[in-house]
Amino acid sequence: MRKKIVAGNWKMNNNLNETKKLIKELKNELKGFEFDNTRVIIAPSFVNLQQAVKKTEETKIEVSAQNLHQAKNGAFTGEVSAEMLVDIGIDIVILGHSERRAYFNETDESLALKVKTAIANGLDVIFCFGEQLEDRTSENHFKVVEEQLRNALFGLSSEAYNNIILAYEPVWAIGTGQTATADQAQEMHYFIRNLLAKEYNDALAQEVSILYGGSVKPNNAEEIFSKPDVDGGLIGGASLKAEDFSAIVKSI
Ligand code: PEP
C-alpha cells in the first residue's frame, strides 16, 4: 500500500532557535497522532539540518534537505553533496522545486543528474514539477508535466522508484493563495499515475506516492487529500506554523 505523506518545505526560513522551537511545537501538536501508513517530513535549511535530526530523534517526524549537488565532491563552492547529507543522518531530499528551477537555473537535465546521485546514495527524493500559469491557460499542462517527468525521471530503473516521491506543484498555485481545485489535482495525479503505468507498469504506478503542492492550508487540505490519487501534500507557507501544519497532517 502506498504511503500517505505530508512534507513541510521551510525554504529559507527559521534560524536555529526558531527551528528548535517549531520542532518542539510540532512534537506537541502531533502527540497521539497515529502515524501508521503516514510519513511526516520537515525540510529546514541546510545549516539547521543536523539539529533538526537531533531534535526529532525520538519521534516519527523525518527530516529532509531542500537540495543537493550532483557531484560526489570537489570544487563547487557553496554546494552540499549527497554524502554530506547522509553523513549527518538525512535520508530525504527535495529536488526540482519551482523556485530552484526559476532562480537557480535548474533544468530537467541537471535534475536528472541530481536524482541519480540522490538515489545512488540511498536518499528518498521528493521530486517537484508542475506547469506555469500560461501552460494551463493554453491547455498545455499535461504536455509540460509529461515532458518534465520524461526528461528528469524516465531514464531511471523501476527499482529507483522505491525512493521516489512525486510532488505535483502547479507553479501558479505556489505561495499565491490560489490553489488548484481538488478535481484539478486529481485529474493531474490520475494522468501522472497512468503515465507511470505506461512507461513502467501498473504495479509500480500504484506504489508511487504523488503529493499535491500549492497553497494547501488547514481549510482545504481535507478535500484535496480525499481524492484517490492524491497521497498527501508538499506544504510551504503553512508548514511554518505548527498548528497549521499539524492540522494539515491530521487531515490526511
Ligand atoms: C511549495 O513551495 O512547495 C509550496 C507548496 O508552497 P505554498 O504551500 O506556500 O504554496
Side-chain angles (χ1 to χ4, degrees):
M1 188 173 45
R2 62 180 180 259
K3 291 271 184 194
K4 300 274 185 195
I5 300 170
V6 182
N9 175 12
W10 290 7
K11 311 191 184 187
M12 198 173 72
N13 293 297
N14 292 334
N15 63 23
L16 180 57
N17 272 337
E18 290 160 346
T19 298
K20 289 186 195 166
K21 183 169 172 276
L22 184 48
I23 290 173
K24 193 172 170 196
E25 289 168 356
L26 253 184
K27 288 200 291 201
N28 271 335
E29 294 281 349
L30 291 177
K31 247 181 215 145
F33 175 72
E34 301 282 346
F35 282 74
D36 295 332
N37 192 41
T38 304
R39 294 177 74 178
V40 177
I41 300 169
I42 55 170
S45 76
F46 277 137
V47 288
N48 294 320
L49 286 177
Q50 213 169 350
Q51 275 297 318
V53 168
K54 193 168 161 220
K55 295 290 173 195
T56 52
E57 243 162 28
E58 309 284 296
T59 76
K60 292 207 166 151
I61 300 170
E62 300 177 72
V63 181
S64 170
Q66 298 176 16
N67 185 28
L68 55 66
H69 192 275
Q70 60 269 28
K72 184 173 161 51
N73 59 350
F76 300 102
T77 302
E79 293 293 314
V80 172
S81 72
E83 257 182 51
M84 291 170 186
L85 295 174
V86 172
D87 189 45
I88 59 162
I90 296 296
D91 43 26
I92 314 167
V93 63
I94 297 173
L95 292 176
H97 192 278
S98 66
E99 287 149 18
R100 297 222 46 96
R101 292 176 190 255
Y103 308 141
F104 304 99
N105 304 320
E106 294 200 353
T107 61
D108 292 344
E109 290 66 34
S110 65
L111 288 167
L113 299 175
K114 288 187 180 213
V115 171
K116 272 196 196 133
T117 297
I119 288 174
N121 282 275
L123 291 162
D124 283 350
V125 174
I126 301 176
F127 184 78
C128 307
F129 56 95
E131 81 280 1
Q132 305 280 339
L133 184 58
E134 58 267 29
D135 301 322
R136 186 158 276 266
T137 45
S138 60
E139 297 189 358
N140 275 321
H141 45 299
F142 294 114
K143 186 166 162 275
V144 167
V145 161
E146 176 165 351
E147 264 169 29
Q148 289 173 327
L149 293 176
R150 197 166 287 290
N151 294 339
L153 297 188
F154 285 0
L156 293 172
S157 68
S158 308
E159 292 69 47
Y161 283 82
N162 293 326
N163 295 66
I164 296 280
I165 298 160
L166 297 178
Y168 166 59
E169 299 206 301
V171 179
W172 47 272
I174 296 179
T176 59
Q178 190 190 347
T179 174
T181 64
D183 286 339
Q184 283 174 324
Q186 168 57 24
E187 182 185 41
M188 183 58 87
H189 286 217
Y190 179 77
F191 170 78
I192 294 162
R193 209 176 295 289
N194 268 331
L195 205 55
L196 286 172
K198 273 192 253 159
E199 193 64 29
Y200 293 91
N201 57 67
D202 194 48
L204 181 149
Q206 291 306 326
E207 279 306 308
V208 176
S209 298
I210 309 177
L211 316 185
Y212 167 78
S215 299
V216 176
K217 308 284 177 207
N219 65 359
N220 59 20
E222 196 173 336
E223 192 190 355
I224 295 171
F225 295 167
S226 71
K227 295 294 173 182
D229 287 295
V230 178
D231 304 310
L234 180 55
I235 320 299
S239 71
L240 298 173
K241 278 198 191 140
E243 203 185 335
D244 287 355
F245 187 63
S246 52
I248 294 171
V249 168
K250 289 171 191 169
S251 311
I252 198 81

